Amino acid sequence: EQLQNFVKSIDVTTDEGRDYTVKIDCDGLMPATTYYYQFQCNGVVSMVGRTETAPASDSTQELAFGVVSCSSLAHGFFNAYNLLADQENLDAIIHLGDYIYEYATNSYGSVRPYEPATEIISLSDYRMRHAQYKRDPDLMKLHARYPFITIWDDHESANNSYRDGAENHNEGEGDSFERKATAQRVYDEWMPIRLPEPGNTGKIFRKLSFGKTA
């Protein structure tokens, strides 16, 4: 945890085209092993993160997951994230979607204000909302403690989405397909997931193996 047993370092460059986010593949790690990591940028050092690699393909070890969804910042505080971060035996956190909500401040829940205060529609709007969520101390603590397996639901773009639009989208808010594509782009930037698949930008389902158990 003090980063004394050095494994490797990886250099990566980012820019405004990805909202200064990064994704790093760290290969050559041992299975079912706890690793600690840290980011450094322009003399600034991040908090220390912790992760656990999946068990080997022939493993039959028991597994434990934290399962969460529907994280409406406007309705309250994320104490459930904090409680999960204090658990000692989890293999990963599975987030089933509605990681963010798209509403304006006080339009659906009034405990905490949103950034931006308006409903999110544009590229900068979605980026700002994801950045706000990532600064929540309980969510930050959980991300630093366990790896996340994520999938989106409707609020990542707009409530009650369907093929040609969404319940929470109207003509004055522009093209619904463009809005959804913007939401997917920002989700790809800010979330620990591989998107889009070349030639199939809407695909999100994938397969993850945890030994022979799951």
Side-chain angles (χ1 to χ4, degrees):
E1 194 167 1
Q2 279 67 48
L3 305 179
Q4 293 175 338
N5 184 15
F6 180 76
V7 177
K8 66 167 61 180
S9 64
I10 300 174
D11 293 326
V12 63
T13 302
T14 186
D15 56 32
E16 65 274 11
R18 284 197 57 84
D19 204 17
Y20 297 97
T21 61
V22 296
K23 289 191 180 182
I24 300 170
D25 282 313
C26 189
D27 56 8
L29 303 180
M30 298 295 294
T33 302
T34 299
Y35 288 94
Y36 296 88
Y37 60 91
Q38 190 174 56
F39 293 91
Q40 298 184 35
C41 179
N42 294 333
V44 178
V45 180
S46 75
M47 63 191 296
V48 175
R50 172 191 179 276
T51 193
E52 175 129 356
T53 52
S57 59
D58 60 350
S59 171
T60 57
Q61 72 180 57
E62 293 183 357
L63 300 171
F65 298 97
V67 182
V68 291
S69 68
C70 303
S71 312
S72 177
L73 183 144
H75 279 88
F77 294 88
F78 294 159
N79 55 354
Y81 287 153
N82 182 64
L83 292 170
L84 280 172
D86 288 336
Q87 302 299 309
E88 297 292 338
N89 66 333
L90 301 182
D91 292 277
I93 304 298
I94 300 174
H95 203 300
L96 297 176
D98 294 345
Y99 183 96
I100 66 167
Y101 276 66
E102 83 279 14
Y103 295 110
T105 295
N106 294 326
S107 66
Y108 181 63
S110 58
V111 176
R112 291 194 281 178
Y114 278 124
E115 297 176 12
T118 58
E119 182 177 333
I120 54 175
I121 299 172
S122 69
L123 179 64
S124 60
D125 290 343
Y126 280 98
R127 284 173 166 175
M128 186 179 295
R129 187 65 55 85
H130 272 275
Q132 180 187 20
Y133 267 72
K134 286 295 192 296
R135 294 197 312 273
D136 177 87
D138 295 320
L139 181 54
M140 188 184 300
K141 180 180 177 181
L142 187 57
H143 271 295
R145 176 68 174 171
Y146 287 114
F148 270 58
I149 300 169
T150 66
I151 191 168
W152 66 55
D153 199 1
D154 54 345
H155 288 292
E156 273 80 4
S157 57
N159 182 50
N160 287 347
S161 302
Y162 49 92
R163 188 186 63 180
D164 300 322
E167 176 274 330
N168 192 29
H169 183 84
N170 57 61
E171 292 182 359
E173 295 173 329
D175 181 81
S176 63
F177 289 101
E178 182 177 340
R179 180 179 183 179
K180 182 181 178 183
T182 297
Q184 287 184 212
R185 172 181 173 177
V186 178
Y187 191 89
D188 178 32
E189 292 172 347
W190 280 87
M191 298 296 291
I193 190 173
R194 294 295 185 280
L195 291 174
E197 179 182 285
N200 189 5
T201 58
K203 179 180 177 181
I204 190 174
F205 61 88
R206 60 205 189 281
K207 184 176 181 179
L208 302 170
S209 297
F210 287 80
K212 290 185 176 180
T213 307

